[in-house]
């Protein structure tokens, strides 16, 4: 089963510390190695980073770890594939254009 990390704060808060431990679960301390993603709001904009590599080995996750994420709302996901191929389109958080 996949795992999620969510944060909802009343002031913009840094997620880097929490993300570091969560990232390790994606291939180092746990078996969730079939991709990962993170989405967060920066002011009125939304950023989403996805990768089909294990989060512990991902250069994109390293970029996120070093990025000063300060957000009111953040959600991250590490995947253990039970259905569907291991690829970026099957990693969360999914995006939809309305």
């Amino acid at each position: 089963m996949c795992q999620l990390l969510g944060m909802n704060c009343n002031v913009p808060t840094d997620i880097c510390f929490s993300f570091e431990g969560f990232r390790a679960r994606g291939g180092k301390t746990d078996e969730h190695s079939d991709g990962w993603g993170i989405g967060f709001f920066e002011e009125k904009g939304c950023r989403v980073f996805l990768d089909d590599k294990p989060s512990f080995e991902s250069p994109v996750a390293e970029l996120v770890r070093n990025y000063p994420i300060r957000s009111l709302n953040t959600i991250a996901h590490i995947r253990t594939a039970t259905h569907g191929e291991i690829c970026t389109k099957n990693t969360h958080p999914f995006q939809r254009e309305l």
Side-chain angles (χ1 to χ4, degrees):
M1 173 139 322
C2 300
Q3 293 184 4
L4 297 171
L5 168 68
M7 182 179 76
N8 182 6
C9 303
N10 61 351
V11 295
T13 302
D14 183 326
I15 192 157
C16 294
F17 177 78
S18 298
F19 180 70
E20 183 61 24
F22 188 70
R23 176 186 176 208
R25 297 184 62 77
K28 180 180 180 186
T29 62
D30 208 340
E31 60 189 28
H32 295 76
S33 59
D34 298 327
W36 72 278
I38 188 169
F40 55 94
F41 289 102
E42 278 187 316
E43 298 178 10
K44 294 186 179 188
C46 180
R47 289 191 190 256
V48 176
F49 294 94
L50 305 170
D51 197 355
D52 60 357
K53 295 174 184 58
S55 58
F56 182 69
E57 300 171 2
S58 169
V60 179
E62 184 66 17
L63 174 122
V64 170
R65 186 179 74 83
N66 291 311
Y67 188 85
I69 296 171
R70 297 187 67 76
S71 181
L72 297 175
N73 300 289
T74 303
I75 189 161
H77 168 263
I78 51 177
R79 181 174 187 236
T80 295
T82 56
H83 184 71
E85 62 184 302
I86 298 171
C87 61
T88 304
K89 73 177 182 179
N90 287 333
T91 60
H92 297 247
F94 294 136
Q95 289 179 284
R96 180 175 176 194
E97 187 173 325
L98 299 175

